Amino acid sequence: MGHGASRLRRVVREVAKFGAVGGAGVLVNLLVFNLVRHTTDLQVVRASVIATVVAIVFNYVGFRYFTYRDRDKSRRTREMTLFLLFSAIGLVIENGVLYAATYGFGWNTPLQNNVFKFLGIGIATLFRFWSYRSWVFRALPAREPSPASRTEPTDHPKTKQQVL
């Protein structure tokens, strides 16, 4: 099997794990959103922001300890800072869609709120997948072979001729 097929399998596995954590995060997000909407008098976008923040915390734990557990952990402060930065951008994307639908177009029924909340999550997820895998949960650098495992050139006559 070629290197390309192996790389494709790794990416498919990563997307599946990201999707599992992200899917659970979407459920957390929507459940918290609807719970806050039905138990408080908060405006729709404020309730959504609270739900998004809860989902961000949930997702970080899932991504760090499940999806990207084999990735570089040496710079945890940098990782957390970038995660929060890209999550905040995702929060703006996600809730910007909801805000535009609710206040720009007047689509403010509970069904419409959930449809545009879900649409915003989907658009923000594409951005988050790219940014988290590219910048936050960085792959460990490929290890160099140890000096003992490297093969040294032999003093074979043909090798000496090729050098000359």
Side-chain angles (χ1 to χ4, degrees):
M1 177 168 36
H3 177 69
S6 163
R7 186 172 191 279
L8 178 63
R9 248 201 329 261
R10 279 194 312 271
V11 170
V12 167
R13 197 172 323 126
E14 177 185 348
V15 168
K17 286 180 169 185
F18 186 93
V21 171
V26 168
L27 291 178
V28 166
N29 197 329
L30 291 172
L31 287 171
V32 171
F33 173 64
N34 283 289
L35 182 67
V36 171
R37 287 287 288 148
H38 293 293
T39 61
T40 73
D41 292 329
L42 285 177
Q43 294 173 344
V44 66
V45 175
R46 289 181 183 165
S48 180
V49 168
I50 290 168
T52 303
V53 169
V54 171
I56 285 168
V57 172
F58 175 88
N59 286 347
Y60 177 78
V61 171
F63 292 143
R64 167 40 56 215
Y65 298 103
F66 177 66
T67 306
Y68 297 114
R69 70 176 174 256
D70 60 333
R71 298 287 178 100
D72 187 3
K73 296 178 186 84
S74 63
R75 297 177 289 187
R76 195 57 66 93
T77 301
R78 177 185 179 279
E79 172 184 288
M80 184 70 78
T81 301
L82 288 173
F83 182 84
L84 291 174
L85 171 69
F86 290 122
S87 293
I89 294 169
L91 181 144
V92 169
I93 293 168
E94 174 183 328
N95 292 289
V97 170
L98 180 61
Y99 182 90
T102 304
Y103 300 109
F105 294 97
W107 297 326
N108 196 19
T109 67
L111 176 61
Q112 289 168 330
N113 291 158
N114 278 284
V115 165
F116 288 102
K117 170 86 173 147
F118 188 77
L119 180 64
I121 289 170
I123 294 167
T125 296
L126 295 173
F127 169 77
R128 288 176 177 132
F129 178 73
W130 169 80
S131 63
Y132 294 167
R133 82 181 307 261
S134 300
W135 299 98
V136 180
F137 301 106
R138 308 272 319 232
L140 290 167
R143 293 192 313 178
E144 290 291 320
S146 65
S149 68
R150 289 190 191 125
T151 56
E152 296 297 323
T154 61
D155 283 336
H156 192 272
K158 239 184 179 179
T159 307
K160 286 184 178 177
Q161 276 183 331
Q162 289 171 346
V163 171
L164 298 175

